[in-house]
Amino acid sequence: MTTDFDRLTNRLAVDFDGAFPDLVTTLQDGVFSGVLQFTRNRQDAEDVTQETFVRVFRALKTYDEDRIRALQIRPWVWTIALNLCRNRARTVKRHPETALVDDRLARTTESAEEVAANADLSVWRQRLAGLTGPQRTAVVLHHVVGLPYAEISGSTGRSESTVRSDARRGLARLRTMLEEETR
Amino acid sequence: MTENTTIETRLAALARSAPDGIFDIVMRKTELADEYTVVDGPTGPAYVAWNGRGITAFVPTEAVGSHDEFESRHPRQASFVDAPPDRLARHLDRTIETGRLGSLPIDLSSIGEFQRKVLEKCSEIPPGEIRPYGWIAREIGNPGAVRAVGTALGRNPVPVLIPCHRVVRTDGRIGNYAYGTPMKRSLLEHEGLDPEAIEAQARRGIRVVGSDTTGIYCYPTCRHAKRITDTHRIEFHSEAAAMEEGYRACKVCRPAA
């Protein structure tokens, strides 16, 4: 995995415009999957995902070759994505009149499977909302997106061992919630 | 531990693929992809593509075919929209109407320095006038690069807007065009030139014309050459012949001196 990302940053360093589309295709599924859990709905998640890559583009554009080569690209992209999710959440809190569109209602042309999958998504979003911020970040980035703890540490600035215990506590909390739900 | 595995699996199942549209929008917002539409050009409809830096392509639709073909030929990703943004539309209409580039922005960022110089020089040729390939070569300081000028113009991404149809062979014949000689001729006709007369003059070996009252020689289509009355109009087979007669080169159309 690391070598793939190293190759990507090397290509970005020498041919930025040519390699940037590959950065988007490599990282967009992961970013979208995570952002879905940190925003209210699919539309917000799409907006934040787009905006993340536009910001990444603008920032990298100002970096010189050596700085791009030295980047841990995935954690760095996640730092930007997490910031945008936080900003979005703050705006929503300030403007509560913006209706919360539930995924179950948002789109009507879905197969039964999609409906079930999206319903599952919003149920989990509610459960995850019951965790502390750092716990939710660690659980989503590690268990949904598949980021190693070291990379989560890189994107949040918390130490690796702290991130590890955030994820463990978050998972324990979720387990308790599930038990309470079935009782 | 089994419950732990279950919860982890369930979390992993929350991963989703990013919707298709995200890539396109990011490419467009970062100006790595272009938008395009169809506009009326001087010789019929044309595809025109652009990004934030300016126009990236202008091609007669008949030379390309369907939208799919245009998209696959275009060097970057391109998506169809109804109309160019206002900031471009006004300048674009004006350029098509007047035959002058004016302040229409053209994105030449992915073009090499030599070709850019050739295209920029070409855009100085006013509508209704023509210059030989050698003129551009000389003007950009590479008098020997006549053939390379031809190649550079043949790869003009924005023909019509950058008027490579106004560049002709050194012997005065109209010569080749990326979209065929008939289109080159009809573009020149559209600007008030007579392709038959140009070819006839070339066949007679006329390169420049002078006025015996001013003692100045010009390319035949120079706006100053057009003012010379028939009685004072002297034809020359070469710039050297004109100079031998004591004529000097026009400072507007700048034939070889």
Side-chain angles (χ1 to χ4, degrees):
Chain A
M1 252 344 231
T2 317
T3 52
D4 276 354
F5 288 119
D6 286 348
R7 212 174 298 132
L8 184 61
T9 46
N10 280 332
R11 286 188 47 224
L12 284 166
V14 293
D15 174 20
F16 181 68
D17 284 0
F20 185 78
D22 294 337
L23 178 147
V24 179
T25 47
T26 308
L27 294 177
Q28 65 174 352
D29 288 348
V31 169
F32 181 68
S33 298
V35 166
L36 260 178
Q37 299 303 328
F38 297 132
T39 50
R40 291 172 305 167
N41 55 42
R42 193 179 168 90
Q43 186 55 56
D44 279 12
E46 289 183 17
D47 290 351
V48 169
T49 306
Q50 277 160 28
E51 188 58 21
T52 298
F53 288 110
V54 172
R55 299 268 177 117
V56 165
F57 179 87
R58 290 197 193 129
L60 286 179
K61 205 70 177 158
T62 67
Y63 283 21
D64 63 28
E65 273 187 38
D66 292 340
R67 200 166 165 200
I68 293 180
R69 250 186 260 275
L71 268 184
Q72 291 291 314
I73 194 74
R74 191 162 57 165
W76 184 77
V77 168
W78 264 110
T79 306
I80 292 176
L82 288 172
N83 263 323
L84 288 170
C85 291
R86 260 193 297 277
N87 292 347
R88 175 72 54 138
R90 208 172 297 142
T91 319
V92 169
K93 210 175 274 175
R94 271 192 215 134
H95 305 279
E97 70 274 15
T98 321
L100 192 147
V101 184
D102 196 303
D103 285 317
R104 279 167 292 185
L105 307 171
R107 289 152 75 241
T108 48
T109 55
E110 299 174 318
S111 69
E113 280 162 34
E114 280 175 314
V115 173
N118 287 334
D120 195 37
L121 212 57
S122 54
V123 169
W124 275 99
R125 198 181 282 132
Q126 276 164 26
R127 288 180 189 131
L128 286 159
L131 308 186
T132 68
Q135 287 173 359
R136 186 171 63 237
T137 304
V139 167
V140 171
L141 291 188
H142 187 72
H143 294 288
V144 180
V145 183
L147 247 59
Y149 292 119
E151 291 195 22
I152 301 172
S153 161
S155 27
T156 58
R158 293 163 77 83
S159 80
E160 195 177 329
S161 57
T162 310
V163 170
R164 215 179 268 277
S165 72
D166 286 339
R168 197 173 46 241
R169 291 202 181 113
L171 222 53
R173 179 87 193 88
L174 287 172
R175 208 172 298 122
T176 314
M177 284 183 206
L178 283 171
E179 277 165 16
E180 281 167 3
E181 282 170 25
T182 51
R183 211 169 280 160
Chain B
M1 202 59 208
T2 41
E3 271 198 338
N4 209 353
T5 316
T6 313
I7 203 168
E8 285 165 358
T9 315
R10 291 175 71 181
L11 284 168
L14 297 175
R16 295 285 183 277
S17 298
D20 293 340
I22 285 185
F23 181 82
D24 289 353
I25 292 170
V26 171
M27 290 300 108
R28 230 150 53 215
K29 284 193 174 170
T30 54
E31 293 173 3
L32 293 174
D34 297 355
E35 294 182 327
Y36 78 99
T37 193
V38 175
V39 295
D40 281 326
T43 60
Y47 289 113
V48 58
W50 63 87
N51 59 28
R53 288 183 289 267
I55 306 287
T56 55
F58 189 93
V59 203
T61 53
E62 63 168 76
V64 179
S66 70
H67 287 214
D68 282 350
E69 275 167 274
F70 174 77
E71 286 174 28
S72 69
R73 276 204 208 181
H74 193 65
R76 273 177 304 281
Q77 186 167 349
S79 42
F80 183 81
V81 296
D82 286 333
D86 288 346
R87 69 189 158 81
L88 280 183
R90 257 179 304 121
H91 295 305
L92 184 62
D93 288 349
R94 208 174 150 67
T95 299
I96 291 171
E97 193 187 305
T98 63
R100 290 172 196 273
L101 198 51
S103 22
L104 178 68
I106 305 286
D107 176 19
L108 299 176
S109 59
S110 54
I111 280 174
E113 197 196 343
F114 178 81
Q115 194 187 5
R116 192 166 63 243
K117 277 199 221 161
V118 169
L119 295 174
E120 280 167 359
K121 182 51 73 177
C122 175
S123 68
E124 292 175 15
I125 307 173
E129 298 189 23
I130 54 178
R131 302 281 182 270
Y133 291 107
W135 177 82
I136 290 191
R138 208 165 55 237
E139 289 273 314
I140 63 170
N142 276 293
V146 180
R147 197 177 281 270
V149 166
T151 311
L153 291 174
R155 294 191 192 135
N156 177 7
V158 287
V160 181
L161 304 180
I162 289 182
C164 57
H165 60 280
R166 294 177 197 148
V167 188
V168 299
R169 281 166 45 155
T170 306
D171 66 7
R173 307 281 305 275
I174 287 170
N176 295 329
Y177 192 55
Y179 302 113
T181 309
M183 190 177 291
K184 190 171 186 175
R185 293 170 69 109
S186 76
L187 282 166
L188 293 175
E189 232 172 338
H190 182 82
E191 296 177 1
L193 289 169
D194 178 355
E196 286 310 318
I198 291 168
E199 293 275 351
Q201 195 171 44
R203 278 195 297 274
R204 290 194 293 120
I206 308 305
R207 301 284 181 278
V208 290
V209 297
S211 158
D212 63 9
T213 52
T214 60
I216 298 171
Y217 65 92
C218 296
Y219 286 121
T221 57
C222 171
R223 78 201 83 146
H224 295 293
K226 288 174 186 165
R227 285 170 38 214
I228 307 170
T229 54
D230 285 348
T231 45
H232 295 288
R233 183 182 160 99
I234 314 291
E235 297 179 326
F236 296 102
H237 290 277
S238 69
E239 283 98 331
M243 280 187 285
E244 264 169 42
E245 299 280 325
Y247 284 73
R248 72 153 175 89
C250 170
K251 286 176 180 167
V252 174
C253 65
R254 299 188 294 276

